[in-house]
Amino acid sequence: MADFLARFLYFCAALLARLPWPWLMRLGNGVATLMLRRDSREARVARRNLELIEPGLLPAQREELQQRIVRTTARQAIETLRFWTRPHTENLGLIREHHGVELFDAAISAGRGVIVAAPHYGNWELLNQWLASHTPLAILYAPPESEIGDAFLRRVRADDANAHRVTQVRAEGPGVRQLFKILKDGGVVGILPDQQPKQGDGEFAPFFDVPALTMTLLGRLANRTGAAVMFAYCERIDGGREGRPAFALHIDAAPEAVADADPVIAVTALNSALERIARRDPSQYQWTYKRYTLRPSGRGEDNPYRGIR
């Protein structure tokens, strides 16, 4: 039943994605307007995150940035439906600029393995498609609680000629062991480094000056395998008058400290690098995500999102 419903959802998404890009962008703007008027969960989470990370903003400044974040979130959802259901070669034509590809190629050629740290910035699904077109890789993902959602994700991320080049690895014990083996064999692994891990699977480190529980897995993988760590993201840029989105691919070498044997040093370096990326254009970062739910023990801090469901 889950596979059947996933196929049905895919069919609906594919129909929507056939609309011209200008229509899709207007649809995204309309969804954002509705989310703001109804003060949706995403709008409230974005507001709360801005209160946490930018307490010095004036109310009007915070509202303006919140509106841009919600608008980008809605567009991201529409873009992603299109990317999931259209040929990858067509999607990749929207990447107008490429920065750091030579660094990525050199890291792969070195044969020590490569960890691609892909933050929730810009459009990370388009980045996944570019990576799959460039090299075989394994992508670590946290499966949705819904069986239908998991089946849908597996379908949309494999529905292309490059499907055989992508291994989707569940963020569980056997999957982590698989990542170690892939890296030791000189392979490429993709990780979303800014998802809040479970208590006990991370360390706290500042992210926009707020302590955030941060995964230690990336640092352990890099430290134990000697793999190179590269940050990668597809950033939205001006698409001109064509009415369609445009992106710039960026790949940057991570600071050496992300592979430090001390997990606190490693996650601090990781968050510092992630923050530099997010500050390029805060509206392109996923501030609709509850990044600070878990708080350091002994400080008496409550869940800042309490009451936001």
Side-chain angles (χ1 to χ4, degrees):
M1 178 61 72
D3 287 338
F4 170 78
L5 291 175
R7 288 195 297 270
F8 176 73
L9 289 175
Y10 180 88
F11 173 76
C12 294
L15 283 180
L16 177 66
R18 289 185 175 276
L19 293 174
W21 269 117
W23 292 21
L24 291 174
M25 292 298 93
R26 286 195 289 271
L27 176 61
N29 290 339
V31 170
T33 298
L34 187 62
M35 292 166 68
L36 289 165
R37 287 179 178 174
R38 294 194 171 186
D39 200 24
S40 68
R41 174 187 178 278
E42 291 79 9
R44 285 179 286 145
V45 171
R47 184 190 306 117
R48 185 64 183 122
N49 277 328
L50 292 177
E51 291 169 350
L52 292 169
I53 68 168
E54 296 287 1
L57 286 180
L58 296 174
Q61 293 174 316
R62 185 177 297 121
E63 182 179 1
E64 189 272 336
L65 182 51
Q66 179 208 27
Q67 290 174 353
R68 288 198 288 128
I69 290 169
V70 171
R71 185 164 58 249
T72 300
T73 298
R75 286 186 173 185
Q76 156 85 10
I78 298 297
E79 289 169 359
T80 298
L81 288 177
R82 172 102 177 198
F83 294 154
W84 277 342
T85 57
R86 301 297 296 170
H88 292 193
T89 52
E90 175 185 310
N91 300 333
L92 295 177
L94 298 174
I95 301 179
R96 306 291 179 81
E97 301 176 10
H98 298 75
H99 306 278
V101 176
E102 66 284 352
L103 295 175
F104 186 53
D105 288 341
I108 294 175
S109 298
R112 296 186 294 113
V114 179
I115 300 171
V116 178
H120 288 88
Y121 180 86
N123 193 298
W124 48 94
E125 292 293 343
L126 182 61
L127 173 67
N128 286 344
Q129 294 183 6
W130 182 88
L131 290 169
S133 73
H134 202 73
T135 181
L137 78 156
I139 297 176
L140 183 70
Y141 81 106
E145 295 181 2
S146 165
E147 291 185 13
I148 299 171
D150 190 28
F152 179 75
L153 281 181
R154 284 187 278 106
R155 177 175 178 81
V156 297
R157 287 174 173 168
D159 193 32
D160 190 76
N162 288 325
H164 66 285
R165 296 163 64 85
V166 179
T167 302
Q168 297 190 63
V169 179
R170 296 168 70 97
E172 300 167 349
V176 172
R177 291 191 290 272
Q178 185 180 357
L179 297 184
F180 274 104
K181 183 179 186 306
I182 291 170
L183 291 172
K184 287 182 177 180
D185 291 340
V188 179
V189 165
I191 295 178
L192 295 167
D194 48 359
Q195 288 183 317
Q196 181 176 249
K198 296 178 182 178
Q199 195 83 48
D201 290 341
E203 295 283 352
F204 282 94
F207 184 56
F208 284 80
D209 295 325
V210 181
L213 188 64
T214 305
M215 67 160 59
T216 55
L217 174 61
L218 189 149
R220 294 203 316 271
L221 287 170
N223 180 266
R224 296 180 187 178
T225 65
V229 182
M230 317 290 289
F231 286 98
Y233 49 97
C234 281
E235 183 177 53
R236 290 180 187 81
I237 58 176
D238 184 8
R241 300 180 179 179
E242 300 177 17
R244 61 180 61 194
F247 298 86
L249 171 73
H250 292 268
I251 301 178
D252 307 310
E256 292 183 4
V258 300
D260 197 278
D262 185 329
V264 175
I265 293 176
V267 297
T268 299
L270 177 63
N271 277 358
S272 178
L274 290 170
E275 182 174 330
R276 284 195 297 272
I277 294 171
R279 286 191 181 277
R280 291 174 61 91
D281 180 357
S283 71
Q284 293 199 43
Y285 189 72
Q286 194 187 32
W287 287 119
T288 55
Y289 174 62
K290 297 180 179 181
R291 182 66 180 88
Y292 304 105
T293 301
L294 299 175
R295 310 310 307 135
S297 61
R299 295 176 47 153
E301 296 181 11
D302 197 8
N303 177 357
Y305 309 103
R306 187 174 298 278
I308 302 177
R309 300 184 182 276

